Amino acid sequence: MIAALLAAAVATATPGPAAAPAPTYLVERVVTVHATVRRLSVFRDGTIVLVHRPPAGEPTVVNVRLEPVELRVVAQVVEESYGELLRRERIPDALGEGWIELRLAPIDRAPLTVRLPMSGAPSYGAARLEKALDELETRIASGRPARENLALWMP
């Protein structure tokens, strides 16, 4: 009797497989062309990281912080694109040399990964998200600020 109770206690106390931790990113885009990989990650705390990994050599990493209003805009675009990308049918393998992988993890929703061929025509949701991420990537890569600093401007 006591052995059965101890066995039951050990069985309930033994942890099962741990659930996967929630992603810390809001959205990620991984672009793979031949052996070159570019990854743009927007994290929930407003950090953006751009990693460019050429086939040979060291990767370059650039990170910046978004303003809270910019983070809200990105979160809204992710939320609006999520539903359409969730319903999207599987795209057959297309001709071409590259892939775009979109990873969305809006708050209070299950993470979603969508893989799109570079040569394919994106849906409206994917195109809108791609455009927003393109703008962020261009801004980060160019090193320009989010908006012009007019603090020292004299009329």
Side-chain angles (χ1 to χ4, degrees):
M1 177 79 169
I2 293 176
L5 288 174
L6 286 174
V10 169
T12 58
T14 304
T24 58
Y25 62 85
L26 180 62
V27 62
E28 279 190 323
R29 175 178 63 183
V30 180
V31 178
T32 306
V33 178
H34 301 289
T36 302
V37 178
R38 267 185 4 258
R39 181 173 60 202
L40 179 72
S41 303
V42 179
F43 293 93
R44 293 180 179 178
D45 68 354
T47 303
I48 303 177
V49 179
L50 175 62
V51 179
H52 182 263
R53 189 179 310 273
E58 293 295 315
T60 58
V61 179
V62 180
N63 63 34
V64 296
R65 298 276 299 175
L66 285 176
E67 296 292 325
V69 69
E70 294 171 314
L71 182 60
R72 285 193 299 271
V73 168
V74 172
Q76 181 178 350
V77 171
V78 168
E79 185 67 36
E80 291 171 359
S81 301
Y82 183 90
E84 182 184 338
L85 291 172
L86 187 63
R87 291 186 303 270
R88 186 174 177 86
E89 294 179 16
R90 185 189 178 286
I91 298 174
D93 293 345
L95 298 175
E97 299 292 330
W99 289 94
I100 300 170
E101 186 172 283
L102 297 172
R103 301 172 186 161
L104 289 75
I107 297 171
D108 297 331
R109 295 237 188 160
L112 173 66
T113 300
V114 178
R115 189 170 181 214
L116 307 168
M118 293 279 293
S119 61
S123 66
Y124 174 74
R128 185 164 185 240
L129 185 59
E130 283 284 318
K131 180 65 176 165
L133 296 175
D134 285 343
E135 290 294 322
L136 288 174
E137 186 173 340
T138 300
R139 192 178 95 203
I140 292 170
S142 69
R144 67 182 174 178
R147 62 189 67 75
E148 192 174 352
N149 183 1
L150 300 176
L152 302 176
W153 181 71
M154 295 297 288

